Amino acid sequence: MTAIVDGSAQDARPPVLEAAHRSRYQDPLWLLSLAMVVIVACLVLPPFFSLVRNSLFELMPDGSAGAFTLDNFARLFSTGQFVQSTINSFVFAFLSTVLAILMGGGLAWIVERTNAPFRDLAYLMTVVSLSIPGVIYVPAWLFFLGPTGPLNDLYRLAGGDGMLFNVSSMTGMVIIEGFAWIPLTFLLFAASFRMANAELEEAARMSGASVFEMMRRVSIPLAAPAAFAAALFIFIRSLQAFDIPKLVGTGAGIKLLTTDIYDSIRSVPPQIGHASAFSVALTVLVAGLLLLYSRLALNASRYATVTGKGYRPRPLALGWARWICGAIVIMNVMVVLALPLLTLLWIAVTPFVRPVRLAAFSSLTWENFATVLSDDRYFELITNTLIVSASAATVTMMLTVVCGWLVARRRVYHTVLDQMIALPMLIPSIVLSVAMMDLALRSPIPLYSTLTIVVIAFVVHYLPFGMRYTFTGALQLHKELEESAGVCGASPLVMLRRVVIPLLMPSIVAGWLFVFLNASRDLSTAIILAGPDTKTIAVAIFDQAINGQFSEVAALGLLWSLMMSVVAMAFYFLMQRRSGNGMSF
């Protein structure tokens, strides 16, 4: 039996799909949405394709892809280096996370939930530390905890033999990394403790519980979701750490996944396929951990304590114990800011590295500062860093302000746009640097070792962070403002320029400052891409530190930190004056 099929009926679309197709093109912003999808796709997808291609295909002498092969992955497991580096990476990340959570989380509880003195110092410490390149902390702690540093020197003066502590060890790496994460851990926990309802803790105290019992049975369980999420976030970032494992671990022969990737690229000839296989393995690990992080965030609502009933956060009165908590605040400020900066100052004003003794004060000199201020090479580094950081922050916020608004208003393609912007979170900085280097070498336009490729890499890396600011800001704007502009005849682009962007300006400024400060101190993303004439401050400090030139590094780091701290504090107080509530990073 032959069926007679009506051709017109066969070509017709189902009514639902036809309606969706018609409504898509009726959206006046569909062309803008499509343009943003294309731009974001051109930025975030090529690094993934580059890594997968280089790891799964032979690399021919002319740079083209050859036959399919799994040799790069087989080589990872044949030498045992991958397994050992993975174990080292997990041990390093886990112990660093524990240290950061204990110190940063404890500090946040003291600042937000008690009446301890000196609490404002914690926020000042956080703002200033965000502007200091993390890489300059490493020479400071290497000296302070090293053989000639104050710790081991005091031990020998007290009659000890040899060294009390060996900084070139896994313990030394963990201590320096854990201290570096205290400010961010403090910020992550502070928001959670600030919003906790004090009635539960007060009820525990009225029932006879001591302060420590109340913390163990009420405060800590309530903070468990925030603690797990923050711990997993810091664990992921520690797994991606590069500067501390390279500068501290190399002397002890300890290799991590990130240092293996860097060494593979820097070997002669560069082992791009091997480095790409390492990068793919590290990216898969990070993707699995981020998936777990998102699952934890979904269940956070079960621990909500702020309801529609009368809610007012109140600090706990600790009595005499408030002075102990005040001392803990001071100790954190000393560990995060005072000790590293004073150590850097000592290194910068001494002609060579020597112990802190009274006899050494007669030889102090400002020569290293004079060299940094008079040498054109350092002026070029500062100029490069400002150009790269300001350009990356500006381009990132220009893209994310449009994308954040389109996603918040659920315009056409909003799901695709949202998921593509989140993709760079999966790529560790050093892995992104490897992928962007390969793309720059293959580009018909000369991009390798230029400031342009460094700016592009920073834009890709910070797109998810810029989106966080603009998307949440757009959610707070009611649609009626935009509808009113539309009724008055404003086109969508005019409405975006004259209504949305001015109202989003606080979020845009905060996001711009966040990207600018972090790009100016970012080492991992720029370390492979920067050439001899396009180095940033962080890359130059790393190169000099790895060659043992600590004195000029210290002077350069202090001057740069002073300049960035002034910028950060100026923005902080400006936004605090405008909003009356301070600015959240």
Side-chain angles (χ1 to χ4, degrees):
M1 181 177 178
T2 302
I4 301 174
V5 179
D6 187 349
S8 61
Q10 190 178 33
D11 294 338
R13 299 176 179 176
V16 176
L17 292 179
E18 181 66 28
H21 179 76
R22 191 169 50 249
S23 63
R24 173 182 303 173
Y25 294 104
Q26 287 174 349
D27 189 336
L29 290 173
W30 77 270
L31 191 58
L32 178 63
S33 299
L34 181 62
M36 298 311 299
V37 168
V38 172
I39 293 172
V40 173
C42 290
L43 286 172
V44 304
L45 295 183
F48 284 95
F49 291 137
S50 172
L51 285 176
V52 174
R53 180 191 56 202
N54 290 337
S55 63
L56 291 178
F57 292 90
E58 293 180 356
L59 186 63
M60 306 306 290
D62 62 351
S64 61
F68 176 82
T69 179
L70 293 175
D71 287 350
N72 291 319
F73 289 97
R75 189 177 159 201
L76 293 183
F77 298 95
S78 62
T79 62
Q81 180 60 45
F82 174 73
V83 176
Q84 186 59 53
S85 297
T86 304
I87 294 173
N88 290 341
S89 297
F90 272 79
V91 171
F92 168 73
F94 174 76
L95 294 178
S96 302
T97 302
V98 171
L99 179 61
I101 291 293
L102 288 177
M103 297 193 68
L107 178 65
W109 184 82
I110 290 172
V111 170
E112 295 295 342
R113 304 295 303 119
T114 75
N115 63 342
F118 314 123
R119 288 175 294 165
D120 291 341
L121 283 178
Y123 281 102
L124 181 65
M125 170 199 76
T126 303
V127 173
V128 174
S129 65
L130 283 174
S131 60
I132 299 177
V135 67
I136 74 166
Y137 282 110
V138 185
W141 285 115
L142 280 176
F143 174 77
F144 189 86
L145 301 175
T148 58
L151 181 66
N152 285 310
D153 201 34
L154 285 174
Y155 173 70
R156 285 189 291 271
L157 288 175
D161 187 23
M163 292 193 300
L164 175 66
F165 180 75
N166 180 18
V167 68
S168 297
S169 61
M170 178 61 82
T171 306
M173 294 165 58
V174 167
I175 288 176
I176 299 175
E177 180 75 13
F179 286 171
W181 282 111
I182 289 176
L184 185 60
T185 310
F186 165 74
L187 284 181
L188 292 172
F189 274 87
S192 174
F193 284 129
R194 189 183 308 133
M195 295 302 295
N197 196 337
E199 293 178 354
L200 299 174
E201 292 173 334
E202 291 172 351
R205 292 283 288 158
M206 292 177 65
S207 301
S210 64
V211 172
F212 291 106
E213 191 175 5
M214 176 201 70
M215 287 180 61
R216 183 174 64 83
R217 304 190 64 172
V218 178
S219 302
I220 294 177
L222 284 176
F228 282 130
L232 192 54
F233 178 76
I234 295 169
F235 181 84
I236 293 171
R237 297 302 303 269
S238 298
L239 203 62
Q240 303 173 4
F242 167 72
D243 46 359
I244 293 172
K246 183 62 181 175
L247 291 174
V248 183
T250 300
I254 300 173
K255 288 197 169 187
L256 273 61
L257 289 172
T258 51
T259 55
D260 276 329
I261 293 170
Y262 177 79
D263 291 340
S264 298
I265 288 295
R266 290 303 189 196
S267 63
V268 180
Q271 303 174 39
I272 294 178
H274 188 58
S276 298
F278 258 116
S279 302
V280 170
L282 181 56
T283 303
V284 170
L285 285 175
V286 172
L289 292 170
L290 282 174
L291 180 63
L292 180 60
Y293 177 81
S294 63
R295 293 287 181 90
L296 287 176
L298 286 177
N299 296 324
S301 59
R302 292 187 302 170
Y303 295 80
T305 59
V306 179
T307 64
K309 295 186 293 184
Y311 157 72
R312 185 169 61 89
R314 294 179 292 273
L316 290 170
L318 296 179
W320 59 268
R322 64 191 292 264
W323 295 105
I324 297 178
C325 292
I328 295 175
V329 175
I330 297 291
M331 182 194 71
N332 275 274
V333 175
M334 292 289 292
V335 165
V336 174
L337 277 185
L339 280 180
L341 294 182
L342 288 175
T343 304
L344 281 175
L345 182 61
W346 176 260
I347 298 173
V349 297
T350 50
F352 52 88
V353 178
R354 58 186 305 183
V356 182
R357 302 279 177 81
L358 286 176
F361 279 82
S362 61
S363 63
L364 299 185
T365 174
W366 298 101
E367 186 179 348
N368 290 316
F369 288 97
T371 302
V372 171
L373 292 174
S374 61
D375 195 330
D376 291 341
R377 186 164 46 98
Y378 291 110
F379 180 75
E380 184 181 20
L381 291 176
I382 294 173
T383 305
N384 288 345
T385 306
L386 291 177
I387 291 174
V388 166
S389 306
S391 302
T394 303
V395 175
T396 301
M397 296 315 297
M398 286 174 64
L399 290 175
T400 54
V401 70
V402 180
C403 294
W405 178 63
L406 291 173
V407 173
R409 293 292 177 263
R410 302 182 67 79
R411 294 289 186 176
V412 63
Y413 306 130
H414 70 275
T415 304
V416 178
L417 204 54
D418 191 27
Q419 292 179 352
M420 280 202 303
I421 286 184
L423 277 179
M425 290 287 288
L426 300 178
I427 310 180
S429 302
I430 191 73
V431 175
L432 177 64
S433 187
V434 172
M436 296 304 292
M437 180 201 70
D438 181 66
L439 293 172
L441 290 172
R442 297 174 185 277
S443 170
I445 306 171
L447 286 176
Y448 184 61
S449 295
T450 64
L451 291 178
T452 304
I453 191 65
V454 181
V455 171
I456 294 173
F458 278 147
V459 170
V460 174
H461 181 65
Y462 289 108
L463 273 177
F465 299 94
M467 188 72 169
R468 170 183 175 271
Y469 285 92
T470 55
F471 174 72
T472 53
L475 286 179
Q476 295 174 348
L477 304 180
H478 199 282
K479 281 184 178 180
E480 64 184 16
L481 297 171
E482 299 156 29
E483 291 169 352
S484 299
V487 170
C488 295
S491 67
L493 291 180
V494 171
M495 179 176 60
L496 179 66
R497 180 170 60 85
R498 303 193 62 175
V499 177
V500 177
I501 291 179
L503 291 173
L504 280 179
M505 194 52 69
S507 300
I508 296 172
V509 172
W512 189 94
L513 182 61
F514 177 87
V515 177
F516 175 80
L517 290 177
N518 280 277
S520 68
R521 63 203 294 266
D522 193 318
L523 170 68
S524 304
T525 308
I527 183 67
I528 296 177
L529 299 173
D533 299 328
T534 56
K535 288 183 181 178
T536 60
I537 290 284
V539 176
I541 289 175
F542 174 81
D543 286 345
Q544 293 190 355
I546 209 166
N547 292 326
Q549 301 172 350
F550 289 130
S551 298
E552 288 188 13
V553 163
L556 174 63
L558 282 174
L559 291 173
W560 178 254
S561 301
L562 178 63
M563 189 167 72
M564 288 297 101
S565 297
V566 170
V567 173
M569 294 301 294
F571 270 89
Y572 177 77
F573 286 116
L574 177 64
M575 295 301 291
Q576 191 175 42
R577 187 173 180 179
R578 283 176 60 92
S579 65
N581 296 318
M583 180 172 53
S584 172
F585 287 91

